Amino acid sequence: MLRNETHRNIALTPELHDYLLTAGRMTPDPLLAELAERTRALVPDQAHMVVAPEEAALLTFLVRLLGARRVVEVGTFTGSSSLCLARGLPAGGSLITCDISAEWTATAHEFWSRAGVDDRIELRLGPAVETLRALPREPHLDLAFIDADKPGYIDYWEELVPRMKPGALLLVDNTLFNGEVVDELPGEKAAAIKEFNEHARKDERVQLVLLPMADGLTLARRLSAGESPF
């Protein structure tokens, strides 16, 4: 493997991370900050599942950049990422978000309403694979975001990729999994992510990049017929 030691990513100290958020105008607004704090109070052991501030800002940015109108999210939790996705939608745009927990998503509903985006979001409770399989099979999605149970990533990917329009963007979270993907004997979730990463890497239906943002973020652009993935 080729490696250029002069082109490494800079290590983010807490001070530099704070600067990044401020300089990049990515500091959470009061509502997102309150949602993160509410989540820490309700489910402290799972609070790390709230999307990172820089990633939250990127979600809104990408929806607006693409002019995305049809968006799907796999993994709602308490609603921070869906709130950010919905904020980027134009008039008439819609987000379908999938989860299995009525308890966690009750918090999401409250904050979607307070953000004024609840009319753009449709929550579908139940196994996400079943929800995705019920969607129209033809390419119609502009953007999708996967951030749910790690062993399910390949199944979600396989349901979503054929439904993405040419040029559409598929985002997948936690694809570095705290660095455990390079461990010789990764844990069950890290091993599932490592398997997914290899599956996605070999998929010539998409152009792919993996960014060292937050816990690792994969971006995949659905290719048009005959377009090279490289």
Side-chain angles (χ1 to χ4, degrees):
M1 178 183 295
L2 296 175
R3 180 181 291 111
N4 189 330
E5 293 296 334
T6 66
H7 291 167
R8 292 174 298 177
N9 291 297
I10 189 169
L12 285 179
T13 63
E15 294 78 13
L16 188 56
H17 185 247
D18 288 343
Y19 176 82
L20 178 148
L21 296 180
T22 301
R25 296 198 303 205
M26 298 182 291
T27 301
D29 62 41
L31 192 63
L32 281 174
E34 182 184 344
L35 176 52
E37 185 58 36
R38 175 81 68 84
T39 303
R40 282 191 288 271
L42 289 173
V43 282
D45 292 341
Q46 285 81 37
H48 63 279
M49 291 164 52
V50 172
V51 68
E54 58 269 38
E55 193 172 350
L58 180 65
L59 293 177
T60 304
F61 183 92
L62 289 173
V63 172
R64 289 177 176 160
L65 180 67
L66 291 173
R69 301 181 61 83
R70 298 290 175 262
V71 179
V72 167
E73 176 185 50
V74 181
T76 312
F77 192 39
T78 55
S80 58
S81 53
S82 43
L83 193 160
C84 294
L85 291 165
R87 278 178 168 174
L89 289 169
S94 63
L95 165 66
I96 294 173
T97 184
C98 314
D99 208 281
I100 58 172
S101 173
E103 178 183 4
W104 289 349
T105 55
T107 300
H109 274 295
E110 175 191 339
F111 280 83
W112 297 338
S113 178
R114 291 173 59 186
V117 298
D118 54 326
D119 60 331
R120 310 173 202 175
I121 302 175
E122 179 186 351
L123 171 65
R124 297 189 182 181
L125 290 175
V129 167
E130 296 179 10
T131 298
L132 297 179
R133 287 175 181 162
L135 296 176
R137 297 198 62 82
E138 67 271 9
H140 67 285
L141 299 176
D142 300 303
L143 186 144
F145 180 51
I146 299 174
D147 184 14
D149 59 296
K150 309 316 171 193
Y153 270 27
I154 291 177
D155 288 338
Y156 303 145
W157 174 272
E158 285 302 320
E159 293 300 328
L160 283 166
V161 170
R163 292 173 167 86
M164 309 303 295
K165 294 160 58 176
L169 192 61
L170 178 52
L171 310 171
V172 188
D173 202 13
N174 304 118
T175 47
L176 292 178
F177 208 80
N178 199 35
E180 294 178 35
V181 288
V182 296
D183 289 353
E184 185 176 350
L185 295 173
E188 180 182 0
K189 292 181 180 180
I193 288 292
K194 188 172 184 177
E195 182 181 3
F196 165 77
N197 288 340
E198 184 64 9
H199 182 85
R201 185 184 70 81
K202 293 178 178 179
D203 193 334
E204 296 193 357
R205 297 171 295 179
V206 299
Q207 179 186 9
L208 191 77
V209 295
L210 199 168
L211 301 179
M213 169 178 278
D215 195 28
L217 180 66
T218 294
L219 287 77
R221 184 177 68 89
R222 183 70 160 99
L223 297 174
S224 302
E227 188 178 0
S228 171
F230 305 107

